[in-house]
Amino acid sequence: MDINTIKIEIDSISKNIIVEITGINSTQSLEELQLKYLGRKGKIAQLTGAIPTLPLPERGALGCQINALKNKVASLIEKKQKSITTKPPETAKFIYDIGLPAIVQELGQLHPITKIIDEICAIFNQMGFSVIEGPEIETEHNNFTGLNIPLEHPSREAFDTFYLKLASEPVNQLANEQANRQTGKLLLRSHTSPVQIRVMKSQEPPLAVIVPGRVYRPDAVDASHSFMFHQIEGFIVDENIRFSDLKGILEAFAKAIFGKDIKMRFRPHFFPFTEPSVEVDISCIICEPVSRLASEPVKGCKPANCPVCHGKRWLEILGSGMIHPNVFKNVGYDFKKYTGFAFGMGVERIAMLKYGINDIRLFFENDLRFLKQF
Ligand code: DAH
């Protein structure tokens, strides 16, 4: 190698090393680069080896340049080495441990009241009933008058019903209620029975309808009362519908929801919209050894101290009866041709009995520890 070649080589190594080292990002390729320039047979060693062949006066200066180049290459390699080893390996981000527990995605679930409504509707659906809903804001006529609840009936009193005050009405509450009663204004329905009137006014028999929904009553909230709760109304209208049909349908329902061994009894009662009327009881699911939930009497639960039936052995679950001819008259049905039965039940009550819940407020407090149990 002559002087010029050496100078050109020094120059080109000095430039190339910077470009080459920038493109390197693994220890292995850095080692290869180190071997290429600083190795025993590397480029710089070749330059050093050529020095003794040069004329004496040139040797010193070129030797210095080659040494400087060697130091520069060595320090660049050392820096790169540090940056490679302190950088986390590219693959670290993607390492995963298949043994780690998965992140659990919590799923929501249906509210127990929704579940029981679905269950009850499905039972009646199978028996041929269709599900129809009505509005929560009702006319006074559908909620009362159409259902043969006379003006003087106690359930019409303001303490039993939330009447709606229209913006233009007087603020005086009593005057307001009286005005509502006379003019047939709006209210929050106090039961699901008004849907009977709506359906019968718009459809001809035969009818088999089930009506789930919210109802409102101005009751003080306690373990067994709430100002809002749910009811399910049911009714059938056709020619030749008899009380025995009512008994058969309700018994099939009670067995489907509480277990096939459940017993039922019908007690005479009064409802303005049915005649005759009955209240329907089931045998106590806690102290009578008959239910799906308690196949044996609960230990230590003698009927006398049963927390659910309080020794009565029977639990009331619904009101029912044969639809009053006046109701048929009010909707324009021929009451000599058609007969029918109706029934209404409180959903919270059914759920409380079925699941052994002793406080209605639990349904409305939205405590997940309660809701998740269903
Ligand atoms: N509407 C009644 C109530 O809220 C329940 C009821 C009783 C509905 C007898 C009926 C029935 O259809 O026949 O207390």
Side-chain angles (χ1 to χ4, degrees), residues 164-315:
L164 298 183
K165 180 171 80 66
L166 299 180
S168 58
E169 286 177 26
V171 185
N172 179 318
Q173 213 193 343
L174 196 65
N176 208 16
E177 281 150 13
Q178 280 162 355
N180 280 339
R181 259 181 261 159
Q182 281 152 20
T183 56
K185 295 247 171 89
L186 299 177
L187 43 79
L188 289 181
R189 68 179 176 192
S190 52
H191 51 174
T192 40
S193 307
V195 184
Q196 283 188 38
I197 305 296
R198 288 180 172 270
V199 174
M200 289 189 220
K201 271 191 170 167
S202 60
Q203 292 179 44
E204 286 297 310
L207 291 174
V209 175
I210 194 95
V211 184
R214 291 194 183 102
V215 300
Y216 300 84
R217 290 181 192 178
D219 281 334
V221 176
D222 63 23
S224 47
H225 295 87
S226 167
F227 54 84
M228 186 283 292
F229 56 99
H230 298 76
Q231 282 191 336
I232 291 188
E233 183 84 8
F235 56 98
I236 282 191
V237 185
D238 200 356
E239 292 175 39
N240 298 320
I241 298 290
R242 292 161 303 184
F243 196 87
S244 52
D245 297 315
L246 161 65
K247 283 185 82 174
I249 294 271
L250 290 183
E251 201 160 320
F253 159 71
K255 290 191 167 170
I257 194 120
F258 290 112
K260 65 178 173 37
D261 297 325
I262 208 85
K263 285 180 262 171
M264 264 189 131
R265 79 173 182 187
F266 293 73
R267 273 182 295 107
H269 198 74
F270 170 78
F271 295 108
F273 31 87
T274 43
E275 181 58 36
S277 303
V278 285
E279 269 190 339
V280 179
D281 299 340
I282 54 165
S283 44
C284 178
I285 56 172
I286 301 297
C287 65
E288 287 280 318
V290 289
S291 88
R292 171 162 94 199
L293 291 173
S295 52
E296 289 176 4
V298 173
K299 256 211 176 110
C301 178
K302 302 219 170 65
N305 60 16
C306 174
V308 176
C309 72
H310 305 291
K312 292 186 192 140
R313 289 185 163 227
W314 293 98
L315 303 165

Side-chain angles (χ1 to χ4, degrees), residues 25 37 54 77 88 107 159 179 184 188 246 259 283-284 310 347 359 366 368:
N25 51 19
Y37 289 104
L54 300 176
I77 288 178
L107 284 183
F159 58 82
L188 289 181
L246 161 65
S283 44
C284 178
H310 305 291
V347 177
D359 195 324
N366 291 333
L368 287 178

Side-chain angles (χ1 to χ4, degrees), residues 94-208:
F94 305 110
I95 288 176
Y96 54 84
D97 178 354
I98 56 163
L100 283 175
I103 298 168
V104 180
Q105 297 290 346
E106 282 220 36
L107 284 183
Q109 62 183 69
L110 293 177
H111 191 279
I113 291 297
T114 311
K115 277 194 180 165
I116 202 113
I117 288 178
D118 287 352
E119 191 178 339
I120 295 172
C121 288
I123 293 169
F124 283 105
N125 233 210
Q126 279 187 329
M127 296 195 267
F129 286 72
S130 5
V131 177
I132 297 185
E133 287 178 310
E136 290 170 27
I137 293 178
E138 254 306 355
T139 61
E140 195 203 32
H141 175 84
N142 289 347
N143 198 77
F144 291 127
T145 330
L147 287 166
N148 195 38
I149 303 179
L151 201 65
E152 66 281 5
H153 195 274
S155 61
R156 277 213 179 197
E157 292 296 315
F159 58 82
D160 266 343
T161 309
F162 287 113
Y163 279 89
L164 298 183
K165 180 171 80 66
L166 299 180
S168 58
E169 286 177 26
V171 185
N172 179 318
Q173 213 193 343
L174 196 65
N176 208 16
E177 281 150 13
Q178 280 162 355
N180 280 339
R181 259 181 261 159
Q182 281 152 20
T183 56
K185 295 247 171 89
L186 299 177
L187 43 79
L188 289 181
R189 68 179 176 192
S190 52
H191 51 174
T192 40
S193 307
V195 184
Q196 283 188 38
I197 305 296
R198 288 180 172 270
V199 174
M200 289 189 220
K201 271 191 170 167
S202 60
Q203 292 179 44
E204 286 297 310
L207 291 174

Side-chain angles (χ1 to χ4, degrees), residues 11-49:
D11 211 35
S12 95
I13 291 177
S14 181
K15 283 176 189 152
N16 288 346
I17 185 72
I18 295 187
V19 177
E20 282 183 60
I21 209 152
T22 326
I24 278 176
N25 51 19
S26 74
T27 318
Q28 197 192 340
S29 36
L30 191 66
E31 276 169 9
E32 283 165 12
L33 189 84
Q34 187 173 27
L35 213 59
K36 177 175 167 189
Y37 289 104
L38 301 179
R40 269 202 306 131
K41 291 182 183 158
K43 292 197 173 215
I44 293 177
Q46 283 171 24
L47 294 177
T48 318

